[in-house]
Amino acid sequence: MMLPRSTSALRQIPAWLRDYSTTITKPKTGIVLVNMGGPENTDQVHDYLKRIMTDTDMIQLPIAQNKLGPWIAKRRTPEVQKKYKEIGGGSPILKWTKLQGKLLCDKLDECCPESAPHKPYVAFRYVPPFSEDAFTEIERDGVEHTVIFSQYPQYSCATTGSSFNEIYRYLKKKGISNGMKLSIIDRWPINSLLAKCFAENIKKELNKIPESKRKQAIILFSAHSLPLKAVNRGDPYPSEVGATVHQVMKELDLPQPYQLVWQSKVGPLKWLGPMTDEAIGDYVKQGRKTFIVVPIAFVNEHIETLHELDIEYCQDLAKKIGVEIIHRVPAPNDHPLFIEALYDIVKKHLKEKIPVSSKFLNRCPHCVNPNCAISKKWYSEVCSF
Ligand code: FES
């Protein structure tokens, strides 16, 4: 059976057949959505933690990481499994990432016929599907150009950097198939549609607060913290998170008090603060009891939003210390403005044809990680349009 390739022709056939046809049409452009991933069920928790604790790009333990890392992972597994049970048994990050990829590629197929058909792939760092799963599928599909698209809006060497180092290791070993072109999108902290999406979600939550209290509500932008060691090495993440916050406040255009705070500290080292829970506690002592909490560095719900923010802070802590009103803004998930943002970023990337950003190729001033040096050199040599 001959199937039409053009998107206008595809629109004339029934949806079920259109879906079938796009799955068997050779994709011209592959979009690899890169993220850390999260366990889909409690059986995956141990391996997930072990991969994190032994990832030297993500965490640098003071001694014998290959032994200490697995030991910490094993010790923490029951406590983390309990948290996943409390949010329904697993992380929804794969569900959201697949949906985001599908909606993004539908939009690209519709509006960018020159690079169509587009196909999404998922490459997680700590749970399947891994980079090797994504690139095995890409090779099988015979994709002409692959865009590796970080799903962390703000770049950190511990997150996007770690995933990109992992992809480098895999592709260096396997080789890039049949002259496929490769390019990367490594960060997008000030995308105006991303900011609009956050601003719209914030307005919705603000409007749920009685008018007499609304002006006093403090917007707490909460992002995953980093050890101060990484911050002082020059990791760009804190400044990029700050840039997103300011972009969102500009879009929001309200005289609302706001503060950037940091969450999810683990271990005994010093981390970037103020910590979200401590900030809420001290604001309450100052007499401020109305809050809007915004997960500003997560594009989909996962354990840090559903458990740490919703259960530990907005529910348990709030009740304990006498918070009057606290609302958590949803992650962007499948918000139409967020899908527009993803589309806008990829469209610009394909139009501007900058295969790799100069910012990505520039290492942190105090970087001592040899993985960063070799991986960035490799990307500078292989990325092209
Ligand atoms: Fe930032 Fe290596 S730690 S580039």
Side-chain angles (χ1 to χ4, degrees):
M1 174 172 59
M2 282 291 290
L3 288 165
R5 279 180 68 100
S6 87
T7 51
S8 58
L10 283 174
R11 275 195 294 274
Q12 290 162 16
I13 58 178
W16 67 269
L17 184 56
R18 202 158 66 223
D19 290 345
Y20 174 67
S21 67
T22 51
T23 61
I24 62 170
T25 304
K26 183 180 162 188
K28 186 171 178 184
T29 308
I31 312 290
V32 182
L33 303 166
V34 167
N35 213 329
M36 67 186 298
E40 275 195 278
N41 53 58
T42 50
D43 291 343
Q44 286 187 352
V45 169
H46 173 259
D47 287 353
Y48 164 77
L49 291 176
K50 190 172 156 194
R51 288 187 193 103
I52 292 178
M53 297 310 300
T54 51
D55 175 9
T56 53
D57 295 333
M58 160 69 93
I59 288 168
Q60 299 86 41
L61 297 176
I63 47 157
Q65 186 146 354
N66 57 348
K67 292 205 170 65
L68 187 55
W71 181 80
I72 296 173
K74 199 170 166 198
R75 233 190 55 171
R76 290 202 61 214
T77 295
E79 162 209 342
V80 177
Q81 280 175 326
K82 185 170 172 277
K83 290 185 180 183
Y84 277 101
K85 274 188 199 139
E86 287 170 8
I87 63 161
S91 167
I93 188 168
L94 181 60
K95 178 196 88 175
W96 285 121
T97 309
K98 279 184 172 170
L99 180 59
Q100 289 156 348
K102 184 194 176 305
L103 295 173
L104 163 65
C105 286
D106 285 352
K107 177 89 183 164
L108 285 165
D109 279 348
E110 197 182 327
C111 304
C112 302
E114 59 289 352
S115 49
H118 307 80
K119 183 175 170 184
Y121 302 85
V122 176
F124 283 160
R125 183 69 180 90
Y126 305 116
V127 288
F130 297 114
S131 313
E132 61 188 83
D133 302 313
F135 281 94
T136 302
E137 202 182 334
I138 285 169
E139 182 165 12
R140 202 179 54 217
D141 289 346
V143 173
E144 290 175 30
H145 182 130
T146 293
V147 179
I148 306 173
F149 186 8
S150 173
Q151 291 304 291
Y152 304 100
Q154 306 90 3
Y155 186 97
S156 169
C157 301
T159 55
T160 304
S162 169
S163 281
F164 282 21
N165 286 349
E166 178 67 5
I167 292 171
Y168 148 72
R169 280 188 288 272
Y170 176 74
L171 289 179
K172 172 84 178 155
K173 199 164 115 206
K174 277 289 289 176
I176 298 176
S177 55
N178 302 329
M180 181 185 75
K181 302 235 189 285
L182 193 69
S183 60
I184 63 175
I185 301 172
D186 60 309
R187 71 196 75 206
W188 31 286
I190 53 167
N191 179 273
S192 59
L193 288 157
L194 172 74
K196 272 193 175 77
C197 172
F198 276 117
E200 192 169 286
N201 279 342
I202 292 170
K203 268 183 202 153
K204 265 190 209 150
E205 296 305 319
L206 274 171
N207 287 337
K208 291 179 189 166
I209 298 175
E211 221 175 325
S212 58
K213 303 206 164 158
R214 202 176 298 154
K215 269 199 183 128
Q216 289 304 308
I218 301 176
I219 303 174
L220 294 175
F221 291 97
S222 186
H224 200 295
S225 187
L226 268 189
L228 277 184
K229 223 166 60 176
V231 176
N232 292 336
R233 211 161 36 221
D235 195 295
Y237 174 74
S239 63
E240 294 189 10
V241 175
T244 309
V245 168
H246 285 282
Q247 190 77 4
V248 173
M249 288 310 296
K250 205 170 108 191
E251 287 294 340
L252 192 61
D253 197 21
L254 290 172
Q256 209 69 34
Y258 68 96
Q259 176 70 42
L260 173 54
V261 291
W262 305 88
Q263 66 179 93
S264 318
K265 173 187 183 296
V266 282
L269 291 177
K270 281 198 180 356
W271 285 50
L272 177 63
M275 304 315 296
T276 307
D277 52 346
E278 293 169 3
I280 296 171
D282 283 346
Y283 273 134
V284 169
K285 285 183 198 153
Q286 290 175 19
R288 310 297 296 268
K289 296 188 175 179
T290 304
F291 303 95
I292 296 284
V293 182
V294 188
I296 194 67
F298 298 120
V299 298
N300 30 45
E301 306 296 352
H302 54 302
I303 193 84
E304 285 86 352
T305 57
L306 299 171
H307 199 282
E308 187 174 359
L309 292 181
D310 289 354
I311 299 177
E312 294 170 46
Y313 301 166
C314 295
Q315 193 180 294
D316 300 349
L317 175 73
K319 197 171 161 199
K320 189 172 150 203
I321 62 175
V323 167
E324 281 172 8
I325 298 172
I326 187 162
H327 293 303
R328 202 265 292 176
V329 168
N333 300 331
D334 61 346
H335 193 294
L337 278 170
F338 180 61
I339 304 304
E340 282 292 320
L342 296 177
Y343 163 69
D344 180 59
I345 293 157
V346 176
K347 185 188 67 178
K348 276 190 193 136
H349 176 75
L350 294 173
K351 190 170 166 227
E352 288 169 2
K353 297 188 189 300
I354 298 171
V356 51
S357 77
S358 55
K359 178 67 181 154
F360 171 74
L361 296 177
N362 193 34
R363 291 168 71 194
C364 297
H366 302 306
C367 172
V368 288
N369 182 351
N371 294 336
C372 303
I374 46 175
S375 136
K376 285 174 193 292
K377 182 167 181 293
W378 180 84
Y379 280 108
S380 76
E381 288 165 0
V382 303
C383 287
S384 68
F385 266 94

